Amino acid sequence: MSKRRKAFAARREAMGFTQETLAAAVGVEFSTVGRWECGDLTPQPYRHASIARALGLSLEELNALLLSTSPDPVNVVGAVGSDAAEDVRRSQLEWLRVRGASGVRGRELAELAAWLYPRDQRGPGGHVLTGPGWLLDEPVELDSVRLVLSDAGHPTPAVGPMDHVLPLTARGERYSSYSRAVRDLVRPRLLENRLSYRLLEVSRHDGLALTFGTTTFFEVFDVKEAFAHEFKAAWLASGGSVPGWDA
């Protein structure tokens, strides 16, 4: 007969997770967490590190929870209070609600957002934003375009406060970046901070030259996903209408 892992369930709740959000954080099916807590199933060893990280535990503390059937997790460090845990739960569920809302694709929202900008800042078709002077009057041969790699520092432009698009961590603190929230709460199959390039300048002196600088995937991801989340939240709040800049 299986024995319920009450301490494990209590720790999950104390850290602000539902069975569903913990399952998303560690990359398993929703029902799997329930089976762990009922004692019908034990997490595979290769999952222990991700479970411990999500619950803010060492591997030794996690093993102790998995072996315990006591409802009192008194020997487990770092548990947040019940009020804080509820704040975490609401924050993460609201973030997941906006990010996962159905009825529209990200591409469609990006096109709607682009239409908020003046016509001279949009490319042909109106769906892509451009920099000053980036659009050519007529096409040019690709072989005539020079590509220049700049090694000068070009930091990502600062953006305003983003607390309204970042959920709370299991410890009750605001996530430091959008990519970390994605890593913990929705965990895609691949999320690596690889080298990326971004267009810095279009020059027409002595032919056409495109100057690129280096950046990282997360630098771009953190900014664009935060803006996308903000726009999607405003779109949902407006009942599916295109929000204005004041929203």
Side-chain angles (χ1 to χ4, degrees):
M1 179 178 180
S2 63
K3 296 182 178 179
R4 296 187 63 85
R5 295 187 174 102
K6 298 177 182 178
F8 182 88
R11 177 64 180 185
R12 169 183 58 75
E13 293 173 355
M15 295 301 285
F17 285 107
T18 63
Q19 289 185 350
E20 184 174 9
T21 56
L22 180 59
V26 300
V28 298
E29 296 293 330
F30 163 58
S31 60
T32 300
V33 175
R35 295 179 67 191
W36 289 345
E37 294 181 0
C38 288
D40 295 335
L41 187 69
T42 296
Q44 293 291 327
Y46 70 88
R47 294 205 181 274
H48 285 197
S50 61
I51 298 171
R53 185 166 54 247
L55 297 181
L57 302 170
S58 67
L59 290 176
E60 291 76 13
E61 290 166 340
L62 174 63
N63 286 333
L65 279 190
L66 294 175
L67 293 173
S68 173
T69 58
S70 167
D72 183 14
V74 292
N75 294 320
V76 180
V77 299
V80 297
S82 57
D83 290 342
E86 179 59 23
D87 289 343
V88 167
R89 188 185 72 84
R90 286 199 303 266
S91 173
Q92 293 185 358
L93 287 179
E94 173 60 17
W95 185 87
L96 290 168
R97 182 188 73 84
V98 172
R99 182 170 175 83
S102 61
V104 69
R105 294 178 297 177
R107 169 67 182 237
E108 294 169 346
L109 287 180
E111 293 177 356
L112 291 176
W115 283 92
L116 293 175
Y117 290 81
R119 181 184 295 274
D120 61 0
Q121 296 182 23
R122 292 184 270 119
H127 305 325
V128 179
L129 301 181
T130 71
W134 285 15
L135 294 180
L136 304 178
D137 295 329
E138 57 185 31
V140 299
E141 293 291 338
L142 286 179
D143 289 344
S144 69
V145 180
R146 291 184 297 113
L147 301 183
V148 180
L149 180 62
S150 172
D151 58 2
H154 295 279
T156 302
V159 296
M162 293 197 294
D163 283 2
H164 61 299
V165 296
L166 296 174
L168 296 176
T169 69
R171 295 184 182 277
E173 303 164 349
R174 188 71 57 183
Y175 269 97
S176 59
S177 66
Y178 203 94
S179 55
R180 292 187 70 87
V182 168
R183 180 199 69 179
D184 290 351
L185 301 182
V186 295
R187 194 175 290 276
R189 290 181 179 272
L190 178 64
L191 188 67
E192 294 184 5
N193 197 20
R194 297 177 176 180
L195 178 69
S196 298
Y197 300 90
R198 61 188 177 106
L199 182 61
L200 300 174
E201 182 183 3
V202 176
S203 173
R204 304 189 191 185
H205 302 295
D206 191 24
L208 182 64
L210 307 181
T211 300
F212 291 86
T214 58
T215 183
T216 65
F217 176 79
F218 282 2
E219 275 189 307
V220 177
F221 183 88
D222 285 337
V223 174
K224 74 173 186 178
E225 290 294 319
F227 283 139
H229 193 103
E230 181 182 56
F231 186 83
K232 192 169 189 178
W235 179 83
L236 289 170
S238 67
S241 300
V242 180
W245 282 113
D246 57 344

